[in-house]
Amino acid sequence: MKEVFWEQWFPTMVAWRRHLHSHPELSFHERETAAYVAERLREIGIEVRTGVGGHGVIGSLKGGKPGKTVVLRADMDALAIQDEKDCEYASKVPGAMHACGHDGHTSMLLGAAAYFASRPEEVEGEIRFLFQPAEEVCPGGAIEMIRDGALEGADVIYGLHLWTPLPVGQVASAPGPLMASADEFFIDITGRGGHGGMPHVTSDALVAGAALVMQLQTIVSRSVDPLQPAVVTVGTFQAGTAQNVIAGTSRITGTVRTFDEETRLMVRRKIEAMAASVAETYGAQASVSYLMGYPTLVNDEAETARFFRTAPKVFEPGAIKESTKLMPAEDFSYYLREIPGCFIFIGAGNEEKQAVYPHHHPKFDFDEHAMLYGARLLTELVRAYQRGE
């Protein structure tokens, strides 16, 4: 019976995904996406709440039997990237595309909602379908949905991410810290500009900035415990206006990725202190704006073990992997700070279907059959939790 259901609904899931892919909306602007999701949920027969934490949507299905509340989450936002794919469902919105699979996440969760709506007698307690806006841009949508009651009375949460580095048909997760925290820094250096031929009467903000860029690279190599993963990346360095003018100002921006709070805070202190001291050495001043972004995503040990017990119902045993730590970040981490849960990567890569480009690439795409694996896994996780398996 389950197989028949998915055979019937998979084309609909593909149609949902392709509609969303053609009509992407950026973080904090998912108005039409939210309306589309809410309409589909109502058609399926799911109770709907809209406007949660912004453009968030929550579907709720309560069974006739008492039980706990299981939350399933998908993100809905797109990225500010021009779609360069040549296909019928390419983005129709200039400068915006689903380059990370969130359209697939939404469709998988709608598929899981349709599955349980078709057999409410199986539901014990409540299944809550959480469609989240703004995962891609800090401060993110998760924290606002939590503040708006998305997890009220909830016992456990599961989330999936389509992942093209894994081939379709595979799946991966791991207990404990899985994805890094993601912080951002913005450093403005103010010196004293002047004539390129008279450097002795200036304070060169470009030279000070260049020196700081090089010094920042020593934080991980000389201040971080070698057994603690960490990254300090300078993404931009801007200074100067002409070849014969000494720059009076410069700007450096970058990101920091870590897996534990002690290292995270230490790196911040080092960046702030280093910026001040290097700028002073060159007769300039530095101002640091530091954004503490998403925290480390930490999977619950027991729920990750449940995933590994449950995954063989959907995947071949040899296709179930233990994931390595990943430096990309996810605001699903906020949910896991509140209740137990597990975040899981669904293999979605396929060379034959050109699903080979990395996430956030203008030609990103995934094998749509991955959605079938993901939706089935969500339903099996709910059943396993409700039955105590």
Side-chain angles (χ1 to χ4, degrees):
M1 290 294 292
K2 289 189 289 183
E3 288 71 19
V4 172
F5 174 89
W6 293 117
E7 287 176 7
Q8 293 175 342
W9 277 86
F10 180 59
T12 302
M13 291 170 59
V14 171
W16 290 333
R17 181 261 166 161
R18 294 188 176 189
H19 171 85
L20 293 170
H21 198 87
S22 298
H23 302 86
E25 293 180 297
L26 301 180
S27 304
F28 302 105
H29 298 279
E30 308 92 337
R31 186 182 304 276
E32 295 303 320
T33 301
Y36 182 83
V37 167
E39 185 177 358
R40 301 289 81 75
L41 288 171
R42 293 188 182 103
E43 289 174 351
I44 293 166
I46 300 291
E47 179 184 336
V48 178
R49 177 186 170 198
T50 60
V52 185
H55 295 305
V57 178
I58 294 179
S60 176
L61 181 61
K62 296 177 182 178
K65 305 174 185 177
K68 296 186 177 182
T69 297
V70 182
V71 181
L72 306 176
R73 175 269 204 173
D75 37 18
M76 304 186 295
D77 54 329
L79 286 150
I81 298 174
Q82 179 64 41
D83 196 344
E84 295 181 1
K85 291 192 303 299
D86 182 16
C87 62
E88 63 180 15
Y89 53 87
S91 172
K92 293 180 171 61
V93 180
M97 74 171 288
H98 277 287
C100 202
H102 295 188
D103 51 338
H105 302 169
T106 299
S107 299
M108 288 189 294
L109 189 52
L110 285 171
Y115 176 85
F116 284 112
S118 71
R119 37 183 55 73
E121 69 281 358
E122 291 188 9
V123 179
E124 300 176 11
E126 178 188 356
I127 306 173
R128 195 173 297 169
F129 307 94
L130 196 162
F131 296 85
Q132 180 203 306
E135 186 278 325
E136 294 287 358
V137 178
C138 287
I143 196 166
E144 291 302 323
M145 292 198 79
I146 292 169
R147 288 170 179 164
D148 213 356
L151 297 184
E152 186 174 341
D155 296 287
V156 71
I157 186 167
Y158 302 108
L160 306 183
H161 201 303
L162 294 169
W163 197 241
T164 56
L166 281 177
V168 67
Q170 293 190 10
V171 66
S173 190
L178 179 62
M179 301 183 76
S181 61
D183 303 324
E184 299 172 359
F185 59 87
F186 307 84
I187 304 172
D188 290 292
I189 298 175
T190 303
R192 185 170 62 253
H195 196 287
M198 302 176 66
H200 59 292
V201 296
T202 71
S203 297
D204 194 332
L206 188 154
V207 171
L212 179 56
V213 168
M214 298 307 296
Q215 286 297 308
L216 291 172
Q217 303 311 307
T218 68
I219 293 176
V220 172
S221 66
R222 289 296 174 268
S223 297
V224 174
D225 182 341
L227 300 180
Q228 291 291 343
V231 170
V232 175
T233 292
V234 173
T236 71
F237 178 30
Q238 300 161 336
T241 57
Q243 82 282 358
N244 61 346
V245 176
I246 290 176
T249 61
S250 64
R251 187 165 223 241
I252 298 165
T253 70
T255 186
V256 175
R257 307 294 170 113
T258 57
F259 279 93
D260 73 284
E261 285 298 301
E262 183 178 351
T263 301
R264 186 185 191 190
L265 296 174
M266 182 275 291
V267 171
R268 175 177 182 168
R269 291 193 299 269
K270 285 286 185 180
I271 289 174
E272 292 172 338
M274 194 172 282
S277 62
V278 171
E280 183 180 7
T281 298
Y282 289 89
Q285 294 181 325
S287 173
V288 180
S289 177
Y290 205 97
L291 173 63
M292 300 292 282
Y294 303 160
T296 304
L297 187 151
V298 183
N299 273 341
D300 180 76
E301 299 273 346
E303 294 310 321
T304 306
R306 193 188 310 277
F307 154 70
F308 280 109
R309 292 195 302 271
T310 305
K313 296 179 181 179
V314 179
F315 297 87
E316 295 297 324
I320 303 165
K321 311 291 184 180
E322 180 151 346
S323 177
T324 59
K325 288 183 172 68
L326 297 169
M327 282 300 177
E330 242 283 354
D331 74 345
F332 192 83
S333 55
Y334 287 115
Y335 301 120
L336 293 176
R337 283 189 161 190
E338 300 294 324
I339 58 175
C342 185
F343 195 67
I344 301 155
F345 294 98
I346 304 294
N350 189 336
E351 290 187 13
E352 294 180 0
K353 297 184 178 181
Q354 297 301 305
V356 295
Y357 294 95
H359 292 248
H360 297 202
H361 189 282
K363 292 186 177 182
F364 173 84
D365 206 351
F366 60 84
D367 186 331
E368 290 172 326
H369 279 87
M371 297 191 298
L372 195 53
Y373 285 101
R376 289 176 60 202
L377 179 61
L378 287 174
T379 62
E380 293 296 345
L381 284 168
V382 172
R383 290 155 64 93
Y385 184 83
Q386 290 183 335
R387 297 174 179 179
E389 297 176 355

